[in-house]
Amino acid sequence: MCKKINVLILFLLLSCSHQDIKNPTSAKTDHVIIQEFSRSEVILASHLLTRIFDGEMAPLACVPDRDEASLLLRTIRPRMEVVQDDLEAMLDNQKDIDDLIKECDQNCTCYFIDDLFREHQLVLSKDQKKSLTQKKIKKELNRCLSFAQNTFCQGELYKTLDHEKSDFSFEE
């Protein structure tokens, strides 16, 4: 009787561990799906949608109102969380911080990087602060948002979000 119970417990343990092996594969697949767009594209689209939602920017043809902006923001959120996690992981390495600052004006992320640094109370060197001035950030943000306004509706990210948004809708 005791041997049967031990065999049953062993069988249950093996079946449970088999399920655990499957889950990382699906999580890995989800991560790949989320990573198909560049960080800067996700950051810029998220910021654009937030500005439309907040009424700080005019609606777009593909984002005609606050409700659509809200739905697209919910849809982009998992991608944005991955981007933020990736960038936060870089904050422990000085070279990575330097690279983020050097590249931010080329990839339209200076405002986001600056906010991230402030949120994490990162102390920057004089050279880093000089490279990341508020004037530069504001100028870059205006240029980048203008670009995003003109290209978002035709981009692959919007098409993907539009396709996925039914998963994030509250309607029944």
Side-chain angles (χ1 to χ4, degrees), residues 130-148:
K130 187 177 179 182
S131 294
L132 203 59
T133 65
Q134 292 304 310
K135 185 176 181 179
K136 176 182 173 181
I137 291 170
K138 189 169 182 113
K139 182 179 177 184
E140 176 239 79
L141 181 58
N142 291 334
R143 175 183 57 86
C144 293
L145 283 174
S146 176
F147 172 77

Side-chain angles (χ1 to χ4, degrees), residues 97-109:
I97 293 169
D98 288 338
D99 290 345
L100 287 173
I101 293 171
K102 287 177 187 171
E103 297 169 2
C104 75
D105 59 340
Q106 296 159 0
N107 62 22
C108 291
T109 58

Side-chain angles (χ1 to χ4, degrees), residues 103-137:
E103 297 169 2
C104 75
D105 59 340
Q106 296 159 0
N107 62 22
C108 291
T109 58
C110 288
Y111 64 92
F112 185 80
I113 297 299
D114 185 57
D115 285 347
L116 190 66
F117 290 169
R118 290 174 191 277
E119 179 182 323
H120 288 273
Q121 300 177 348
L122 200 67
V123 178
L124 301 177
S125 70
K126 283 185 178 183
D127 289 338
Q128 290 171 327
K129 287 179 186 177
K130 187 177 179 182
S131 294
L132 203 59
T133 65
Q134 292 304 310
K135 185 176 181 179
K136 176 182 173 181
I137 291 170

